[in-house]
Amino acid sequence: MSGNRPPVAQDHAGFQFVDIVAGRRILTGKLYLSTAKPDLAVVVHAATGVTQDYYEPFARWLSAQLNAAVLTYDYRETGLSRGAEPVQRLQARLSDWGIHDQNGALNHLCERFPNLPVWVIGHSLGGLFLRWHDNAHRVSRLLTVASGPAHYLSHPVSSWPSVFWFWFAGGPALTGTFGYLPGRSSGLGADLPAPAFWQWRRWCTSRGFYEIDWGKAFGNPGPVPEGLQLNMFSFSDDWMIPPKSVSRLPRYYPGVETRHSTLSPHDFGLRKLGHVGLFARKNAVAWPALVDPATG
């Protein structure tokens, strides 16, 4: 790893709540600004089952570090974008989050900052859908974190008991019984609407992953943005989307300039990072790797 990473900046960034139009939905987001005149605009697309509060320390740091306007938000029917309906009645799918909600967030950022360069940081699900977004052509850099096509047999063999339980036993049984996937019982941080679970299961038990729904459950992707730089980050201790799966992501962005960095928690003196851990405040020592020229 490079020894020339910038230090972790002081947390001086404030934020303002913003409303994001995503089709017929209004999502709640937070826009972090460390100065009145940012040099860069960044949107953070979350992973499945992860709310924007988790990314707040990172967003504050990134805003101060790069003098950036950083937008976080919650997908429909999650977090601050959740209405009053009981979870059993929620109908959101992963493709709703990836296509409509991510598109709405990117549109909001591009409309507010029409003259700034734009980056997208996509965590897991957040890195898969840029080609469906209206303003994809505005994005100069896509930084993906633990994002790539998953298949239940692509996980390390040591994790297969958990994987098989989730997709073929516990996950379907819990979702069928309760009408949603309970977050605590399933190992997720948040409850998942039933349609989201069933679509996720279809993708991860098919060799075609989400391509099986292209042109069917949702439309076909648009062209790859010209001049896009794709920086992919995987983690040596991530069994959910291991480095081998991350290495397959460029099939969805053919022809782009690509860089793949596999990070180990030991590189930063940490015990673990895994699939979700990078953005935790306790792991802030690893954040500069995302913007270090040697890796990001």
Side-chain angles (χ1 to χ4, degrees):
M1 300 300 296
S2 169
N4 299 316
R5 294 193 192 92
V8 175
Q10 294 293 319
D11 178 1
H12 296 306
F15 73 85
Q16 54 189 251
F17 286 104
V18 296
D19 290 332
I20 296 168
V21 178
R24 297 181 179 179
R25 302 297 185 104
I26 303 295
L27 312 179
T28 298
K30 296 179 182 179
L31 183 68
Y32 297 85
L33 290 162
S34 55
T35 65
K37 295 183 178 181
D39 298 317
L40 175 69
V42 182
V43 60
V44 179
H45 297 319
T48 301
V50 182
T51 60
Q52 67 178 315
D53 288 347
Y54 174 65
Y55 302 97
E56 180 169 331
F58 171 77
R60 290 179 179 272
W61 170 83
L62 188 67
S63 179
Q65 185 69 53
L66 299 183
N67 188 30
V70 181
L71 177 65
T72 66
Y73 65 99
D74 286 315
Y75 296 132
R76 66 186 63 193
E77 301 180 352
T78 69
L80 297 177
S81 300
R82 169 88 181 270
E85 285 189 313
V87 65
Q88 294 90 340
R89 296 180 60 185
L90 300 182
Q91 295 298 311
R93 302 173 300 170
L94 268 66
S95 54
D96 294 322
W97 297 338
I99 294 178
H100 304 300
D101 297 353
Q102 290 178 19
N103 181 58
L106 180 58
N107 285 347
H108 182 94
L109 193 73
C110 290
E111 291 166 6
R112 182 150 182 171
F113 303 100
N115 299 315
L116 292 185
V118 175
W119 289 6
V120 170
I121 296 179
H123 184 195
S124 195
L125 178 76
L128 296 173
F129 286 95
L130 180 62
R131 290 175 60 192
W132 280 266
H133 300 161
D134 298 334
N135 277 292
H137 62 281
R138 284 282 312 276
V139 179
S140 60
R141 185 174 298 186
L142 171 60
L143 299 98
T144 65
V145 176
S147 183
H151 184 265
Y152 71 98
L153 295 179
S154 67
H155 302 289
V157 174
S158 60
S159 69
W160 280 9
S162 297
V163 170
F164 277 73
W165 180 90
F166 186 73
W167 291 130
F168 299 105
L174 289 168
T175 305
T177 299
F178 294 102
Y180 67 96
L181 182 67
R184 290 183 180 274
S185 301
S186 61
L188 294 172
D191 296 334
L192 207 65
F197 170 76
W198 294 119
Q199 187 178 50
W200 191 15
R201 183 181 183 275
R202 271 174 45 80
W203 295 355
C204 292
T205 57
S206 168
R207 288 291 185 185
F209 191 53
Y210 74 153
E211 289 176 88
I212 63 174
D213 280 344
W214 291 13
K216 299 173 184 176
F218 50 91
N220 288 311
V224 176
E226 185 175 351
L228 178 68
Q229 180 177 332
L230 172 61
N231 293 348
M232 307 178 300
F233 293 88
S234 57
F235 303 97
S236 62
D237 61 336
D238 181 3
W239 63 266
M240 294 183 67
I241 307 292
K244 187 175 181 180
S245 294
V246 172
S247 71
R248 300 189 182 107
L249 182 63
R251 67 183 289 179
Y252 306 125
Y253 298 98
V256 305
E257 178 186 348
T258 303
R259 178 181 292 172
H260 181 188
S261 302
T262 298
L263 308 179
S264 167
H266 304 296
D267 295 333
F268 309 99
L270 300 172
R271 187 173 64 87
K272 65 178 181 179
L273 286 169
H275 186 64
V276 180
L278 176 69
F279 296 102
R281 187 192 299 271
K282 65 181 179 180
N283 296 330
V285 66
W287 295 346
L290 294 184
V291 295
D292 184 347
T295 56

